[in-house]
Amino acid sequence: MKIAVAKGDGIGPEIMDAVLSIFNANKVPLEYEVVDMGKWVFDKGFSNGMTPEAQQTIEDLGILFKGPMETPKGKGVKSVNVTARKTWNTYANKRVFQTLHGVDTVFSKAGIPIDVTIVRENIEDTYGGIEHMLTHDVALSRRFITRPGSLQVIRYAFEMAKKKGARRITCGHKANIMKITDGLFLECFYEVAKEYPELKADDVIVDDLCMKLVTRPDLFDVVVLTNLQGDIVSDLCAGLVGGLGFAPSANIGDHICIFEAVHGTAPDIAGKNIANPTALLLSGLSMLRHLGFMENAATIENALLYTLESGVHTGDFGDKSIASVNTTEFANAIIGNFGKLPAHGAKPTLPNKPITPTHFKLEENPLIMSKEAANEAIVGVDFFVEFAGQPNDVADKCLNVIGDKFKLVTISNRGTQVWPKGSVFTNVVNQYRCRVESVNDAPIDQSAVAELYLKFQAEFKVCSLELLNMWDGKKAYSLAQGQ
Amino acid sequence: MKIAVAKGDGIGPEIMDAVLSIFNANKVPLEYEVVDMGKWVFDKGFSNGMTPEAQQTIEDLGILFKGPMETPKGKGVKSVNVTARKTWNTYANKRVFQTLHGVDTVFSKAGIPIDVTIVRENIEDTYGGIEHMLTHDVALSRRFITRPGSLQVIRYAFEMAKKKGARRITCGHKANIMKITDGLFLECFYEVAKEYPELKADDVIVDDLCMKLVTRPDLFDVVVLTNLQGDIVSDLCAGLVGGLGFAPSANIGDHICIFEAVHGTAPDIAGKNIANPTALLLSGLSMLRHLGFMENAATIENALLYTLESGVHTGDFGDKSIASVNTTEFANAIIGNFGKLPAHGAKPTLPNKPITPTHFKLEENPLIMSKEAANEAIVGVDFFVEFAGQPNDVADKCLNVIGDKFKLVTISNRGTQVWPKGSVFTNVVNQYRCRVESVNDAPIDQSAVAELYLKFQAEFKVCSLELLNMWDGKKAYSLAQGQ
C-alpha cells in the first residue's frame, strides 16, 4: 500500500526520516510518495501551501503522513494545516494523551496517571475564517456550528469510544452562553448518545472542564468538543503529558485521513539532527492502527515505551544526568528494542488486519443535510448599522422608515439592549443592531425584507443583515441582553 | 460609604453573612444595602434577574458585592451575571490566582508556586449572545471584537500591571486563525504597550498558553485575553490553586464595579452553614483594596492566610485528619487571627487611602470610538444563501443575476472555497457564501448592493449579508480557505 508523505518545514524532514527508518526496520508494508507541501511551497507562489500535483497524489492515495509545517505570516494567507483539514473534510481530530514513563511532568511527579482522548471538531467554528470589519472599530468573526457537521464528529467519537471500551464520553461546550450554536452541538451529542446506551455519556462546561483537567484529569476518558475549545483543551492535555513533543494527532475523514505532528517546526534546531521524533512517531502509530497494521504498531510502541523508560532521551526532555542522544540514535535505540516490553503500559500485540483503503473516487461534493422543520417562516430581520451617536437617535431614524408592516423591537449595541430601555452606563461603539419584526409575528416574504433594506440603507450604512426565522413556532434567534 | 450587596442563590446568603461578619469585626467602615437579584428574582418574572429598584440602587452606589447566582435554564433567558457585567460595562474581569498554603493541589505538591493574574475582556466576543439559525442545519454566533473595547481592557491591564510591579504582561490570543478579530485585539495590545516601556510585553497563542500554564505557570504574571479564551484560562488557573472556591473575581468598569464569587450556588448544601466562604472573602478583599481600605484588607488577608496555614478548613478542602469547621466557625477563626501573620506570603500593611467614589451620574451613553480610516470604500458583498445542492449550481444561479457591475469571485461552504475551484472531498451543508465584488474593485454605492440583493433574494433565501469594505486600500475582510 502506498501513502503520501509531506516531510514538513524546519525539523520536519529529519524527524520524518527517523520515523520512516523505524517503520522500514519493522518491515511495515508501506510505500511512501513524498509530496510538496509547506512554507517553501507558499514561497514558490502556491497560496494554499501545496502544489496541484501534491493535492492530486493525496486525493489518489487517501492517507497523508505529515511533518510539522509553518504558515507564512500575513493577513492574506491561510494556515496550510487548516486548509488541508478543511479541503479534505477531516472532520474529527483525535488526540490521545497518555502518561509516558521517562517523561517527567508535574502530574507524573504527583503520581496522577493521564489517559484521555480528545476528539475535536475540525472544520467549523471560527476556523471557517469568515471575518469582516463592520466599521473601522468593529471586527466580526462568524462562528458557525452545523447539525450534520456536529453529528459527523460526535458519531466518530462515540464509535471510537465504543471500540476502545471507554468508561465515559463527555461533551465539552459553552452552551450556557452560546445557547444556539453550542446548544446545537450539545443537542446532537445527546441525540447520538441514545444510539450507544452502553456508554456513559455526559457533558461539562468547557471552563469547568479545564479546571477539572488540571485537578482530576483521571476523571475523564473521551471528550468531544467544538473546534476552538477542542484546540485549547487538546493543548492543555498535551501539557499534562509533557508537551506537544509527546502528543500525536490524527485527522479523520470519510475519504482522506491526515496523521501529523502538530508541534512547531523549530527552525532554530532544524538540520542539526537533534529534534525529538516522539510525537510524529506516535502519530504514525495511530496511522498504522488505522490502516490495520496492529502488530507493527504494538511492536514499535512497546519499543518506544521501553526506550523512554530506560532513560534514552533527546535533548529536550528526560533525566539530565544521562547524556542525550540525537534523532538518529533515538530512532536506532527504538529499533534495537523491537520485541522488548515496557514495565508500564505495555500494549497487547494484536494480529494485523486486512487493509481497508479509506479513499474512493467521488463524483460530486457530498451534501450533508438533516431534515428541515415542518413549518418555516421569516418573521423579521436584524440590521447591523454604522452609527456614531445615541440609541434614541438610532431609533428615531429606524422609526422614520419602518412603515406599517414592521415594528422596531429592540436596539442593541455589542449585544446589550439600549432601546427601548437599557442602562446609560452601557458604553456604545459605532455599530448598532436594529431588530425589526413583522407586526403580529405574521410570516413575511423575503421581498418585504428587501424593501425594508432599501429604506434602511438610505438612512444608514448597513454593515450586515441577518434574517429572523421561526421554525415550528419557535424563534430561531436569540434575544438581546436585557431584552 | 454605602455599597450594594446581592447575597445570591443557594449558599450565597450564608457565605455573604460570614464575609460581612469578618468585615464588621474588622470595623470596615462600609454600610450595606441588600438588593434583589438572582434566580428567585427571575422566578418572580423579572427577565434580567433583578428588580428595577435593585438596578437603581446599584447605579446610585457604584459598587456591587455579589454572591453566586444561578440562571434558570431555558433558551429565552440570559445569565444574570453576564447581563450585569454588560449592562454596567464592567469591561475588565480581573482574577488573581495565588498559592494558598493549607490548600493542597497538584502544583503545591510539586512545589511550583502560582501567582498569576488573568484580565479577561468582559463584554464582547460571543458573549454578545447574538445568535441566529441560518438554515435548519446551520447555527451562527456573531463573535465581535472592537477596537475601543479592546483598548479599554488592555489599558486597565497595563495600568494594573504597572501598579503591582508586574515582571511581564502577556496577551493571549488566537490571531493565527482569527486574523481579523483577534488580530485587532493583538494590535491594540502592542499599541498600548508602547505607552508602558517599563513593562515587558509579549504575546502567546492561547492553546500554547494553556499548555505552558500546566507545565510552567511560574513563567506568567499578568495575562490579558478576549472574553471566552479568558474565561477558559481563568478557570484553568483556578484549578491550579485548588478550584473556584479559592479564586476571587473583580469586574471593573469606569462607573460601576462588581466583586463576586464565581463558583456555583451549591444548592445541595445550601442552608447547612458548611460552605467555604474563601472565594467570596478574597473577592471582598479585592473590593476593599479597590475602595482604598488597604489596612483592613491586609489585616483580614493575613488572618485568612494564617488560618489556612494553621489547618483550619471547611469540609471541601484541607487535611482530612483535622476535623472540618462550619462556615461561621471558619469566619470566627479568621476574626480570632486578626493581627497574626502567615509564615508564607504575608501581605504588607499599607495605610488606608481616602475613598474615591467610582460612580457618578451620566447624561447619556458613553460613545467609545477611535478615528476612522482616511479612505473607505464599499467594494462588494457576501451573500449567505440557503441552497441544498452542488457548488456549480449555486454559481450558475448567481451568474444569472449578477449583471455587469459585479463579478462572482468565490463561493465557499463552511469557509472553504468550493468554486471556481475546490476539492470534491469538501462536504457541503445547505448554506453557501457567495462573494461578489465590483468589477475592477471600483468603489460602489450601497444602493448598488441593495439592487443586487433584490436580485439574489429572487433566486435564493438570503440568510445573511456582509458588506465588503476597503480601508486605505486594504481589504477589510478575509479570503476563503483555499481562495
Side-chain angles (χ1 to χ4, degrees):
Chain A
M1 183 184 183
K2 194 185 265 189
I3 65 166
V5 168
K7 294 193 174 183
D9 299 308
I11 57 170
E14 58 211 83
I15 59 174
M16 182 60 81
D17 290 344
V19 170
L20 296 186
S21 77
I22 296 168
F23 285 5
N24 288 335
N26 198 248
K27 299 194 168 47
V28 174
L30 282 176
E31 290 173 83
Y32 310 104
E33 183 154 346
V34 176
V35 297
D36 294 343
M37 208 175 162
K39 181 171 182 299
W40 59 279
V41 182
F42 277 110
D43 293 345
K44 282 188 170 177
F46 297 94
S47 70
N48 64 356
M50 67 182 104
T51 60
E53 294 76 22
Q55 180 163 345
Q56 190 59 52
T57 301
I58 294 161
E59 293 178 3
D60 287 344
L61 298 176
I63 300 284
L64 172 62
F65 188 31
K66 177 176 163 300
M69 286 179 194
E70 190 183 337
T71 300
K73 288 195 170 70
K75 287 206 175 181
V77 178
K78 300 277 177 179
S79 152
V80 61
N81 302 314
V82 175
T83 299
R85 290 171 208 160
K86 287 177 66 85
T87 303
W88 294 313
N89 218 71
T90 62
Y91 50 77
N93 178 231
K94 177 196 173 193
R95 296 176 68 187
V96 179
F97 303 98
Q98 285 180 302
T99 303
L100 295 171
H101 293 269
V103 182
D104 278 348
T105 70
V106 178
F107 289 81
S108 70
K109 283 177 197 158
I112 297 173
I114 313 286
D115 184 4
V116 59
T117 302
I118 305 294
V119 178
R120 160 188 171 193
E121 197 286 320
N122 222 5
I123 309 280
E124 307 192 341
D125 201 338
T126 51
Y127 287 69
I130 307 177
E131 296 190 285
H132 298 81
M133 294 294 298
L134 300 191
T135 73
H136 188 60
D137 277 349
V138 179
L140 176 74
S141 175
R142 292 173 68 95
R143 176 181 198 262
F144 57 86
I145 301 293
T146 78
R147 191 184 305 271
S150 300
L151 288 172
Q152 272 185 331
V153 64
I154 290 167
R155 282 230 164 78
Y156 167 78
F158 271 90
E159 199 54 34
M160 185 272 295
K162 182 181 170 181
K163 276 189 193 147
K164 87 187 269 283
R167 62 188 195 284
R168 179 183 181 190
I169 178 165
T170 304
C171 178
H173 63 87
K174 193 71 188 174
N176 55 332
I177 296 294
M178 297 183 282
K179 289 174 197 261
I180 292 184
T181 48
D182 273 19
L184 176 62
F185 190 76
L186 187 58
E187 184 184 311
C188 291
F189 177 83
Y190 282 114
E191 193 178 313
V192 174
K194 283 185 208 148
E195 300 166 24
Y196 295 85
E198 68 276 30
L199 285 172
K200 177 178 168 355
D202 56 14
D203 70 281
V204 59
I205 295 189
V206 63
D207 36 319
D208 190 29
L209 172 64
C210 288
M211 189 169 64
K212 289 186 170 130
L213 281 170
V214 300
T215 49
R216 293 290 311 275
D218 49 314
L219 293 177
F220 297 96
D221 190 341
V222 173
V223 185
V224 59
L225 305 104
T226 53
N227 206 337
L228 177 60
Q229 294 168 37
D231 185 8
I232 293 173
V233 170
S234 292
D235 274 18
L236 186 166
C237 289
L240 302 182
V241 298
L244 292 181
F246 303 95
S249 180
N251 298 284
I252 308 293
D254 287 337
H255 312 298
I256 293 174
C257 297
I258 306 170
F259 300 85
E260 63 183 337
V262 292
H263 53 66
T265 58
D268 52 322
I269 60 162
K272 294 185 179 169
N273 193 33
I274 57 173
N276 174 4
T278 304
L280 187 63
L281 178 57
L282 288 169
S283 301
L285 294 175
S286 174
M287 177 177 73
L288 295 190
R289 290 199 172 92
H290 179 83
L291 293 173
F293 301 120
M294 312 307 279
E295 190 177 337
N296 297 97
T299 304
I300 298 171
E301 186 160 5
N302 284 331
L304 166 68
L305 297 178
Y306 183 94
T307 304
L308 292 172
E309 275 182 2
S310 69
V312 175
H313 64 91
T314 47
D316 53 316
F317 75 100
D319 185 343
K320 297 295 171 198
S321 69
I322 303 175
S324 64
V325 298
N326 69 25
T327 309
T328 311
E329 291 162 344
F330 188 75
N332 287 339
I334 294 168
I335 292 167
N337 288 326
F338 284 164
K340 295 186 180 157
L341 292 180
H344 302 277
K347 305 293 166 186
T349 303
L350 305 172
N352 284 345
K353 292 180 187 167
I355 295 169
T356 316
T358 53
H359 62 290
F360 50 85
K361 292 292 166 203
L362 288 173
E363 293 300 317
E364 54 179 28
N365 292 84
L367 173 65
I368 50 173
M369 203 175 137
S370 58
K371 68 172 171 45
E372 287 174 32
N375 284 298
E376 296 200 15
I378 301 170
V379 293
V381 57
D382 279 346
F383 292 113
F384 296 80
V385 302
E386 179 165 348
F387 187 78
Q390 289 295 307
N392 280 336
D393 298 331
V394 182
D396 288 347
K397 282 165 75 79
C398 292
L399 292 170
N400 275 343
V401 296
I402 199 161
D404 54 9
K405 275 188 208 157
F406 293 99
K407 58 181 190 278
L408 182 64
V409 176
T410 176
I411 297 176
S412 64
N413 193 293
R414 295 195 290 170
T416 302
Q417 176 171 290
V418 290
W419 185 95
K421 57 180 184 168
S423 163
V424 75
F425 295 95
T426 303
N427 290 8
V428 294
V429 300
N430 66 350
Q431 192 248 307
Y432 283 86
R433 185 261 299 267
C434 308
R435 171 160 292 175
V436 172
E437 291 178 358
S438 60
V439 171
N440 300 325
D441 289 335
I444 51 173
D445 285 338
Q446 265 202 102
S447 57
V449 173
E451 278 167 40
L452 192 62
Y453 174 58
L454 281 176
K455 293 182 195 165
F456 262 77
Q457 60 92 30
E459 293 285 324
F460 298 103
K461 183 170 177 186
V462 178
C463 314
S464 329
L465 74 77
E466 303 283 352
L467 281 194
L468 303 180
N469 294 288
M470 297 264 282
W471 287 329
D472 292 333
K474 283 186 199 154
K475 283 186 164 77
Y477 52 95
S478 60
L479 299 182
Q481 295 282 157
Q483 188 183 351
Chain B
M1 183 185 183
K2 194 185 264 187
I3 65 165
V5 168
K7 294 191 175 184
D9 299 309
I11 57 169
E14 56 210 84
I15 60 175
M16 181 61 81
D17 289 344
V19 170
L20 296 186
S21 77
I22 295 168
F23 285 5
N24 288 333
N26 198 250
K27 299 192 168 48
V28 174
L30 282 176
E31 290 173 82
Y32 309 105
E33 184 156 343
V34 176
V35 297
D36 294 342
M37 206 174 164
K39 180 170 183 299
W40 60 280
V41 183
F42 276 110
D43 293 342
K44 281 188 170 177
F46 297 94
S47 70
N48 63 357
M50 67 181 106
T51 60
E53 294 75 24
Q55 180 163 348
Q56 189 60 52
T57 301
I58 294 160
E59 292 179 3
D60 287 345
L61 297 176
I63 300 285
L64 172 62
F65 187 31
K66 176 178 163 302
M69 285 180 195
E70 191 184 334
T71 300
K73 288 194 168 72
K75 286 206 174 179
V77 178
K78 301 277 178 178
S79 151
V80 60
N81 303 312
V82 175
T83 299
R85 292 172 206 157
K86 290 179 64 87
T87 304
W88 294 312
N89 217 72
T90 62
Y91 50 76
N93 178 231
K94 176 195 173 194
R95 295 176 70 188
V96 179
F97 303 98
Q98 285 179 301
T99 302
L100 294 171
H101 293 270
V103 182
D104 278 349
T105 70
V106 179
F107 289 81
S108 70
K109 284 177 196 158
I112 297 173
I114 313 286
D115 184 4
V116 59
T117 301
I118 305 295
V119 177
R120 159 188 173 194
E121 197 285 319
N122 222 5
I123 309 281
E124 306 192 342
D125 201 338
T126 49
Y127 287 69
I130 307 176
E131 297 190 284
H132 299 80
M133 294 296 296
L134 301 191
T135 73
H136 188 58
D137 277 350
V138 180
L140 176 74
S141 175
R142 293 173 66 95
R143 177 181 196 262
F144 57 85
I145 301 292
T146 78
R147 191 184 304 273
S150 300
L151 289 172
Q152 272 185 330
V153 65
I154 291 167
R155 282 228 162 79
Y156 167 77
F158 271 90
E159 198 56 32
M160 185 272 296
K162 181 180 170 183
K163 275 189 195 150
K164 88 185 268 282
R167 61 188 196 285
R168 179 182 181 191
I169 177 165
T170 303
C171 178
H173 63 86
K174 193 72 190 175
N176 55 332
I177 296 293
M178 296 182 281
K179 289 177 197 258
I180 293 185
T181 48
D182 273 20
L184 176 61
F185 191 76
L186 188 58
E187 185 184 312
C188 291
F189 177 82
Y190 282 114
E191 192 179 314
V192 174
K194 283 186 208 148
E195 300 166 24
Y196 296 84
E198 69 276 30
L199 285 172
K200 176 175 169 353
D202 56 15
D203 71 280
V204 59
I205 296 190
V206 63
D207 35 319
D208 190 29
L209 171 65
C210 288
M211 190 170 60
K212 289 187 169 127
L213 280 171
V214 301
T215 48
R216 293 290 310 276
D218 48 314
L219 293 176
F220 297 95
D221 190 340
V222 173
V223 185
V224 59
L225 303 106
T226 52
N227 206 339
L228 178 60
Q229 295 168 37
D231 185 8
I232 293 173
V233 170
S234 292
D235 273 19
L236 186 166
C237 289
L240 302 181
V241 298
L244 291 181
F246 303 95
S249 180
N251 299 284
I252 307 292
D254 287 337
H255 312 298
I256 292 173
C257 297
I258 305 169
F259 300 86
E260 62 182 338
V262 292
H263 53 66
T265 58
D268 53 320
I269 60 162
K272 295 186 178 168
N273 194 34
I274 59 172
N276 174 3
T278 305
L280 187 63
L281 177 57
L282 288 168
S283 300
L285 294 174
S286 174
M287 176 177 73
L288 295 189
R289 290 197 172 92
H290 178 84
L291 293 172
F293 301 120
M294 312 307 279
E295 192 177 335
N296 298 95
T299 303
I300 297 170
E301 186 159 5
N302 285 330
L304 167 68
L305 297 177
Y306 182 94
T307 304
L308 292 172
E309 275 182 2
S310 69
V312 175
H313 64 91
T314 48
D316 53 315
F317 74 101
D319 185 342
K320 297 295 171 195
S321 69
I322 302 175
S324 63
V325 298
N326 69 24
T327 309
T328 310
E329 290 162 346
F330 188 76
N332 288 338
I334 293 168
I335 293 167
N337 287 327
F338 284 164
K340 293 185 182 158
L341 292 179
H344 303 277
K347 305 294 168 185
T349 304
L350 304 172
N352 284 345
K353 292 180 186 167
I355 296 169
T356 316
T358 52
H359 61 291
F360 49 85
K361 292 295 167 200
L362 287 173
E363 293 301 317
E364 55 179 27
N365 290 85
L367 172 65
I368 51 174
M369 204 176 137
S370 58
K371 67 172 171 44
E372 287 173 32
N375 284 300
E376 296 200 13
I378 301 170
V379 294
V381 57
D382 280 347
F383 291 113
F384 296 80
V385 303
E386 179 165 348
F387 188 79
Q390 290 295 308
N392 280 337
D393 298 330
V394 183
D396 288 346
K397 282 165 77 78
C398 292
L399 292 169
N400 275 343
V401 295
I402 198 161
D404 54 9
K405 275 187 206 159
F406 292 99
K407 56 181 192 277
L408 182 63
V409 176
T410 177
I411 297 176
S412 64
N413 194 293
R414 295 194 293 172
T416 301
Q417 176 171 290
V418 290
W419 185 94
K421 55 180 184 165
S423 164
V424 75
F425 295 95
T426 304
N427 289 10
V428 293
V429 299
N430 67 349
Q431 191 247 309
Y432 284 86
R433 185 260 301 268
C434 307
R435 172 161 292 176
V436 171
E437 291 177 357
S438 60
V439 171
N440 300 324
D441 289 336
I444 51 172
D445 285 337
Q446 265 202 100
S447 57
V449 173
E451 278 167 39
L452 192 62
Y453 174 63
L454 280 176
K455 293 183 196 162
F456 263 76
Q457 60 94 28
E459 293 284 325
F460 298 103
K461 183 170 177 185
V462 178
C463 315
S464 329
L465 75 77
E466 302 283 352
L467 280 193
L468 302 179
N469 295 288
M470 297 264 282
W471 287 329
D472 292 334
K474 282 186 200 154
K475 284 186 164 75
Y477 53 94
S478 60
L479 298 183
Q481 296 283 157
Q483 189 183 350

